[in-house]
Amino acid sequence: MFKFFIYLSPLIALFILALLAPFLASFDILSIHLQNAYQSPSRIYILGTDFLGRDLYSRLLFALRNSLIIGVFSSFLSICFAIFYLFLARLFFYAFWMRILDLFLALPAFLLLMFFQNFISINMLLMSVLIALLHWCFIARIIESELKKMQSLEFYKASIVLGRTPLKIFLKDLLPALKSLIFILFVFNIIHAIATESTLSFFGLGVGFEIPTLGILLNDFSKAVFVGAWWIIFFPLLTLILLFLPLLWLGNFLQDRWGLRS
């Protein structure tokens, strides 16, 4: 148990910092002070300033909070979309819905997402929904493969013999048996969602620049690298690493603990 908390301590610390961001921020994240541009870390600016003189520490706190909100919410939506789709497929035209699922899996979804974001205004809610629409089909395929395995088990056959409806079988027998798998997928998908948002924002296709995210901060890489402002690159990148590694460890730990490694 002690080892468990040691590995998760960076993740817990980051969640606390994100939760307390409005109280811990030293400066207004939107205030511009051009005379203080590219200030290295100091007693006043703990993590330095960016190319507009904005405090990096304050922006990083809010960027962490916004990225976590997008990651958790889009992961939750992905799970909901996948479960609803599989339930719909089991009500009628199963083979048809599975072929549609294969079509979604074959589409270059990331490129399509980048294409559509050129024509619509993106906020955090819409970003979360779009990322969920990008990932749900992969989750649906994994859950569907487990559902097929469970259909050969005795409890499933007994439910059919007892005359349970497809709705009750799906909600009361199949889904509860998959709660461990669904939670693990939720954890891993948080990583994918944050990485997707960071990639899009890095290329200037994320949320507006007035809404800081980890990807938005990394977008300043091209400006910082030519002036030697290492802190603009280092601290957001370190935050991403400290966020991803504990989540990856947690997902792998739960897979081993619940026997879902296969």
Side-chain angles (χ1 to χ4, degrees):
M1 185 60 68
F2 179 73
K3 178 182 177 181
F4 180 83
F5 284 107
I6 288 296
Y7 278 109
L8 289 185
S9 56
L11 181 63
I12 296 171
L14 289 177
F15 266 94
I16 294 174
L17 289 174
L19 184 65
L20 299 178
F23 307 101
L24 297 177
S26 306
F27 295 88
D28 181 4
I29 60 173
L30 296 179
S31 61
I32 297 174
H33 305 283
L34 294 177
Q35 69 276 14
N36 294 325
Y38 294 123
Q39 293 284 326
S40 61
S42 62
R43 294 179 60 183
I44 299 177
Y45 299 107
I46 301 175
L47 301 183
T49 63
D50 63 7
F51 68 104
L52 292 177
R54 296 171 297 189
D55 179 49
L56 184 60
Y57 167 70
S58 301
R59 286 177 57 78
L60 186 59
L61 288 175
F62 280 92
L64 175 63
R65 186 181 71 163
N66 293 336
S67 291
L68 281 173
I69 290 173
I70 292 173
V72 172
F73 186 54
S74 63
S75 182
F76 175 76
L77 285 180
S78 298
I79 297 291
C80 291
F81 291 161
I83 291 175
F84 176 77
Y85 188 89
L86 293 176
F87 171 69
L88 190 65
R90 274 168 165 70
L91 287 182
F92 51 87
F93 303 128
Y94 174 82
F96 169 76
W97 292 115
M98 289 301 102
R99 297 292 77 76
I100 296 297
L101 180 60
D102 291 336
L103 175 62
F104 277 114
L105 289 168
L107 289 174
F110 192 82
L111 294 178
L112 290 174
L113 183 60
M114 295 179 68
F115 174 77
F116 284 115
Q117 284 187 280
N118 286 306
F119 302 99
I120 55 178
S121 178
I122 299 294
N123 54 35
M124 287 179 57
L125 176 60
L126 187 55
M127 172 65 78
S128 300
V129 173
L130 289 175
I131 293 175
L133 292 174
L134 176 65
H135 292 153
W136 73 269
C137 50
F138 299 97
I139 295 175
R141 175 54 70 190
I142 295 173
I143 295 177
E144 174 59 24
S145 65
E146 291 299 318
L147 289 174
K148 283 186 176 180
K149 295 178 183 177
M150 295 174 62
Q151 288 176 356
S152 62
L153 301 179
E154 294 298 327
F155 82 94
Y156 179 80
K157 296 177 181 178
S159 297
I160 296 177
V161 172
L162 292 173
R164 284 198 169 190
T165 63
L167 176 62
K168 287 186 177 180
I169 293 175
F170 188 79
L171 295 179
K172 294 187 176 182
D173 294 330
L174 296 178
L175 280 187
L178 290 176
K179 61 181 181 295
S180 299
L181 173 64
I182 290 173
F183 183 75
I184 291 173
L185 290 173
F186 172 75
V187 171
F188 280 128
N189 202 49
I190 292 175
I191 302 173
H192 290 299
I194 295 176
T196 300
E197 182 280 321
S198 298
T199 303
L200 290 170
S201 297
F202 180 79
F203 290 109
L205 298 172
V207 295
F209 283 94
E210 71 280 1
I211 305 174
T213 64
L214 294 175
I216 291 292
L217 296 187
L218 288 173
N219 181 263
D220 295 335
F221 171 86
S222 58
K223 307 180 186 71
V225 71
F226 292 109
V227 296
W230 58 267
W231 55 92
I232 295 179
I233 305 168
F234 176 74
F235 291 114
L237 192 58
L238 178 64
T239 303
L240 272 178
I241 293 173
L242 292 177
L243 187 60
F244 285 172
L245 289 182
L247 283 171
L248 283 171
W249 181 87
L250 177 61
N252 290 324
F253 172 81
L254 293 177
Q255 279 184 306
D256 292 334
R257 176 60 64 92
W258 291 335
L260 296 173
R261 177 61 66 179
S262 59

